[in-house]
Amino acid sequence: MQQGQQDRPLLRQLIDASSVGLQLVISTFAGFAIGYFLDRFFKTSPWLTIIFLIIGIVSGFLELLRIARKQNGPDKSNS
């Protein structure tokens, strides 16, 4: 383990790790739901659903990367 991970309690590390998958699913579903309801409102099916689904997936993976960098410890490029 790296120094940054040793300072954090094990329970906190487990909570962070388990939330990654949940955040990916929630952001994907949220993008899909927003696009679906906008498509129904504007009658543009399926374009807004596809666009917002892609946005949800991308935001989920960006959050995944953010959490992975946070787990990796402090940014060494600033030193």
Side-chain angles (χ1 to χ4, degrees):
M1 264 196 241
Q2 294 178 343
Q3 180 63 27
Q5 290 179 339
Q6 290 176 351
D7 295 340
R8 298 174 54 196
L10 179 63
L11 181 60
R12 183 66 198 165
Q13 289 179 21
L14 291 174
I15 290 171
D16 287 344
S18 65
S19 69
V20 171
L22 187 60
Q23 289 175 352
L24 185 60
V25 170
I26 288 173
S27 64
T28 301
F29 178 75
F32 173 79
I34 291 169
Y36 176 77
F37 288 113
L38 286 175
D39 267 339
R40 287 185 64 190
F41 183 75
F42 292 117
K43 302 195 185 334
T44 57
S45 186
W47 299 112
L48 292 177
T49 302
I50 293 170
I51 290 169
F52 278 91
L53 178 64
I54 292 170
I55 290 171
I57 292 169
V58 168
S59 67
F61 276 107
L62 289 175
E63 183 67 15
L64 175 83
L65 289 174
R66 186 190 69 79
I67 291 172
R69 286 183 181 152
K70 187 170 103 174
Q71 291 290 326
N72 211 13
D75 188 15
K76 293 177 179 63
S77 64
N78 291 338
S79 299

